Amino acid sequence: MTTGRTLMTDVRLFLLGRRAAAAVLVLAMETLLCYLGWDVAIDTYLLGQHVSLPLGTANVVPPLAAISVVAFCSPSNPDVDALAAPRLHRFDTVLVTVISACAASTAALMHLALTLTPDSLVPRIDRYCAYPGCLAESFSVQMLMGEWSIGLLYAALSIMATSLIGTLPGAAATGIAYAITVAVGSCPQIAVISPLTVVTAPDRAPWWMFLSVSAFVCAIAIHRHSQNLRPGVTRLATHMGVFPNCP
């Protein structure tokens, strides 16, 4: 009984400095968007180049959702959180791993689920398929890997950034990195290697999946040991004038 009470107390203290409910709400909204907008894609030419960067549900919703949930699950005060018991640090690592992986995977898993769903339950299926079952025929493992790798990559970047430089600067830095990727995605030289174009070039999906999984594993390791790494990074960034203080 004592052990159970201690565990519940630790959980309450753990959640006190985080916005886990907001993160769960983001996941719910992401799931709804991935269902209702599974076929949405808009060709963009942001820099006036001749190469189009299709922006759709698969390469917009998961990265932004991953950045948001990681920020919501990061401790409000890392300096105070570093003084907590080791069990709370394990809770933190598990929560960030699970919820960021869910955010990164939602679009890919929703696409897979829709291929197994009766056509009558798939929004606008008549605009996409001329005959029953064509959605399942157009789906492939490479497409699944491509859609999955995009969210996983930005989840990894967000975890690394928030772990090392703090919640707000880390989320902002990852958001800026995503915006830059979108902005330069229409450049011919960038389009062939951009992670955002992997959904239209599934032959590159295995490589991006390997890179994204590797980055995610490294990000979790960094997050697990961030209480030892973050002070040095903070001092270095402050000394270089990157930002005066890390919240």
Side-chain angles (χ1 to χ4, degrees):
M1 183 65 70
T2 303
T3 302
R5 290 177 180 174
T6 302
L7 179 60
M8 292 301 297
T9 300
D10 288 348
V11 170
R12 284 195 294 267
L13 290 174
F14 169 75
L15 295 176
L16 193 60
R18 291 162 175 82
R19 301 174 181 86
V24 173
L25 179 60
V26 169
L27 287 181
M29 294 175 59
E30 179 190 14
T31 302
L32 182 61
L33 288 174
C34 289
Y35 172 68
L36 296 178
W38 68 274
D39 60 335
V40 173
I42 302 173
D43 290 331
T44 61
Y45 302 86
L46 297 182
L47 295 183
Q49 301 292 336
H50 298 292
V51 176
S52 169
L53 172 63
L55 290 180
T57 303
N59 59 1
V60 173
V61 177
L64 298 183
I67 295 172
S68 300
V69 299
V70 170
F72 283 135
C73 291
S74 298
S76 302
N77 191 329
D79 296 326
V80 173
D81 198 67
L83 302 175
R87 182 184 298 179
L88 299 188
H89 295 305
R90 291 194 290 270
F91 288 164
D92 185 41
T93 302
V94 171
L95 176 66
V96 170
T97 302
V98 171
I99 204 162
S100 61
C102 289
S105 311
T106 301
L109 295 181
M110 179 60 69
H111 197 172
L112 175 62
L114 290 176
T115 63
L116 305 174
T117 301
D119 289 349
S120 59
L121 299 178
V122 180
R124 299 175 302 280
I125 188 65
D126 55 325
R127 299 181 184 180
Y128 187 86
C129 291
Y131 57 90
C134 73
L135 180 60
E137 293 178 1
S138 65
F139 191 78
S140 65
V141 175
Q142 288 80 6
M143 182 180 297
L144 176 68
M145 295 171 65
E147 293 176 348
W148 202 345
S149 64
I150 297 172
L152 205 60
L153 176 64
Y154 284 94
L157 295 177
S158 183
I159 293 171
M160 291 182 192
T162 56
S163 299
L164 294 176
I165 63 176
T167 301
L168 292 179
T174 312
I176 292 172
Y178 176 78
I180 292 175
T181 307
V182 171
V184 302
S186 296
C187 296
Q189 297 82 359
I190 302 297
V192 295
I193 60 173
S194 173
L196 301 182
T197 59
V198 70
V199 292
T200 58
D203 55 302
R204 293 190 281 116
W207 294 103
W208 273 112
M209 191 65 193
F210 173 77
L211 178 62
S212 299
V213 171
S214 301
F216 189 77
V217 172
C218 291
I220 296 302
I222 289 173
H223 182 79
R224 181 69 181 86
H225 299 285
S226 59
Q227 62 187 99
N228 298 323
L229 298 173
R230 187 174 178 273
V233 174
T234 302
R235 287 194 299 269
L236 177 62
T238 303
H239 178 73
M240 295 175 62
V242 177
F243 42 77
N245 189 22
C246 293

